[in-house]
Amino acid sequence: NPTTTLTAGPSGSTAVNWISAGGAALYEVTLASTGTLTLATNPDTPITASQAVGVQNTQGKAGVTFTKLLFTAANEAVKLKSFLVIRGVGAAGADGDFTAVKLYDGTTLLATGYLSGGTVEFNLTADKYVSVPKNGTKVLTLVGDLAGVGTSGGASTGDDPKLGVQYDVQSGNWS
């Protein structure tokens, strides 16, 4: 009933949610105009480390975990449908440091993409949407396949490649 009036319970209660003297829950209501989604680095993200990648076209290093993304939904479940992954701003590196960028949910590969202009956008198909449960969390992993060092493309000695998500962009394909 959209016209129902909520009261705070008996005079001794201090909130909408309260329990009677006998211990029985009388009613519970949570009011929120919208849910929220927050993003943080998951605590088990690997520490920064140098990676030996070898020579271009003959070597490189596949499957390097760059970061683990911790999504937390409050008040409602959220489906994540697309991600804009960025190469670290200010990092000494280039798109050519990567032969591929991958997004995983646990051990399940959700998408593979290729950097262009410092970004790659993953637009997931409906069967790969990521659900963050109401008042719960979901961890996704960004993995890079690194190119070997070379003179025509590929990595350069001393590059410092980084991957992340443009966290402050709140428009796009979210539901």
Side-chain angles (χ1 to χ4, degrees):
N1 184 348
T3 61
T4 300
T5 301
L6 300 175
T7 61
S11 61
S13 71
T14 58
V16 172
N17 301 327
W18 58 280
I19 298 177
S20 70
L26 298 177
Y27 55 84
E28 241 180 86
V29 177
T30 301
L31 300 175
S33 61
T34 62
T36 60
L37 180 69
T38 57
L39 172 61
T41 302
N42 200 52
D44 70 341
T45 292
I47 59 169
T48 302
S50 295
Q51 299 288 329
V53 296
V55 179
Q56 181 183 3
N57 297 328
T58 59
Q59 295 175 338
K61 187 165 188 175
V64 177
T65 298
F66 275 79
T67 191
K68 293 188 176 185
L69 307 165
L70 175 64
F71 293 91
T72 303
N75 299 324
E76 65 181 307
V78 177
K79 284 185 184 175
L80 306 174
K81 300 177 181 180
S82 67
F83 297 85
L84 181 62
V85 176
I86 59 171
R87 184 174 40 81
V89 176
D95 292 351
D97 291 343
F98 297 89
T99 58
V101 177
K102 299 174 182 177
L103 180 67
Y104 282 89
D105 179 358
T107 59
T108 301
L109 177 64
L110 298 175
T112 299
Y114 307 94
L115 286 165
S116 176
T119 66
V120 59
E121 185 169 2
F122 294 122
N123 291 302
L124 304 178
T125 57
D127 63 319
K128 299 277 178 118
Y129 289 170
V130 177
S131 293
V132 183
K134 175 183 175 181
N135 299 323
T137 61
K138 177 59 96 173
V139 176
L140 299 178
T141 305
L142 287 176
V143 173
D145 291 346
L146 298 174
V149 175
T151 56
S152 60
S156 298
T157 300
D159 278 0
D160 182 22
K162 292 179 171 69
L163 294 175
V165 172
Q166 190 72 34
Y167 72 91
D168 59 349
V169 176
Q170 297 177 1
S171 62
N173 204 5
W174 302 71
S175 74

